[in-house]
Amino acid sequence: MTTVLGRLLAALPLVLALGGCAAAASTASVTRQDTVVLGVKADQPGLAERASGGYRGFEVDFGTEVARRIGAKRVEYRTVTSEDRERLLNGHRVDLVLASYSITPERAAQVTFGGPYTTAHQRIMVRAGERGVGGVRDLAGRRLCEASGSVSTARIVQGLGIRPTLVPAASYSDCYAKLRSGEVDAVSTGDLVLAGFARRGGVRLVGDAFTDEPYGVGMRKGDLDGCEAVNKAITVMYQDGTAGRLLHRWFEGAGLRPVAEVPEFHGCS
């Protein structure tokens, strides 16, 4: 029995060491990965959409450039939604997320954010012939689309105390379809999201912007090395003109004037 106990005690440090290795591997920084999986939306024109078997848009191009600048030799892509971004990040299905991912305290408790890489401003989108909605206060009593997993409607209802009738939808692409068909009266979220749909026609943006939405690069919680590297990459991309060129490429003619200056970072935590 003594011999058996001695063997168990002798093996214990090895077991603990193996456990430590597993923990370290599961929290490895994105900067130490040769292949980085980038999570992007598949149905937000201008920002990120999937077409002809590939992904295209500002966030696709920007995220690819960030991944390469932090050391990735290969970049792969996976569709994320507003509802599953945290789950896919923490489940190691994606490594970076650029998906109109507004930085909020609630989200920052679950993931680490780099950036922001740009700041959107919440506005309202209505059908082209709509004249009854000219600003956010006009949404009271109107049918407002609520995309699953988004915080935009909460800013109106809870933040501003306005009471529209919320109509649920799977995504902002679904909201756009409901708006065109007359199922809802308005859609409200970041102007960079809305501008892509507005370019498709049949809808228009109205009213002044009433929030700032800092779009962050999502990473697994605690990857501070990755966050610092991402922030450095974003800074250099603005300094060398890469960010400005991408903003111009994807939003020229959309009625927006994105700021081509380094955003104020929120800090890594």
Side-chain angles (χ1 to χ4, degrees):
M1 182 177 299
T2 303
T3 302
V4 173
L5 179 60
R7 288 175 180 172
L8 290 173
L9 291 174
L12 184 57
L14 177 60
V15 172
L16 292 175
L18 289 173
C21 290
S26 66
T27 58
S29 173
V30 68
T31 59
R32 294 194 285 274
Q33 298 179 202
D34 288 337
T35 299
V36 167
V37 181
L38 179 64
V40 294
K41 295 285 185 73
D43 59 354
Q44 291 187 169
L47 282 174
E49 61 181 336
R50 190 168 188 173
S52 302
Y55 293 85
R56 61 191 306 272
F58 171 72
E59 291 181 324
V60 180
D61 290 350
F62 201 101
T64 299
E65 189 68 24
V66 166
R68 289 174 176 163
R69 293 189 185 214
I70 67 173
K73 295 180 175 63
R74 176 183 173 84
V75 182
E76 299 178 354
Y77 307 90
R78 184 183 297 274
T79 299
V80 300
T81 67
S82 297
E83 209 167 29
D84 65 14
R85 290 173 294 205
E86 292 87 5
R87 178 175 61 81
L88 293 179
L89 265 175
N90 293 321
H92 293 257
R93 303 295 300 279
V94 296
D95 302 305
L96 296 176
V97 170
L98 282 84
S100 55
Y101 205 0
S102 300
I103 302 173
T104 68
E106 294 77 17
R107 289 170 176 168
Q110 300 180 66
V111 304
T112 288
F113 279 109
Y117 53 91
T118 192
T119 299
H121 307 280
Q122 188 165 344
R123 292 186 64 188
I124 300 164
M125 183 170 70
V126 298
R127 285 182 294 280
E130 172 67 57
R131 294 294 179 266
V133 177
V136 66
R137 296 292 170 186
D138 297 328
L139 293 176
R142 305 300 291 266
R143 295 169 300 171
L144 177 66
C145 195
E146 182 176 38
S148 179
S150 174
V151 298
S152 295
T153 51
R155 292 190 178 104
I156 295 171
V157 176
Q158 299 170 18
L160 299 177
I162 298 169
R163 296 289 183 266
T165 298
L166 300 181
V167 178
S171 64
Y172 281 109
S173 181
D174 190 19
C175 281
Y176 172 69
K178 289 181 183 297
L179 181 62
R180 291 293 307 274
S181 69
E183 294 179 62
V184 299
D185 301 310
V187 180
S188 182
T189 190
D191 52 4
L192 297 180
V193 176
L194 299 179
F197 292 114
R199 292 177 71 175
R200 289 185 170 178
V203 298
R204 63 191 180 96
L205 274 60
V206 298
D208 296 327
F210 53 92
T211 69
D212 294 333
E213 295 192 41
Y215 284 175
V217 180
M219 287 162 275
R220 279 180 281 281
K221 186 65 178 175
D223 188 1
L224 303 188
D225 288 343
C227 179
E228 295 292 349
V230 165
N231 286 351
K232 181 179 179 180
I234 293 172
T235 299
V236 175
M237 287 172 67
Y238 273 92
Q239 291 173 341
D240 67 16
T242 301
R245 287 193 296 272
L246 291 177
L247 287 165
H248 180 78
R249 174 187 177 187
W250 289 105
F251 299 108
E252 181 184 16
L256 303 178
R257 294 181 181 177
V259 177
E261 299 177 359
V262 182
E264 182 178 348
F265 294 147
H266 285 214
C268 300
S269 60

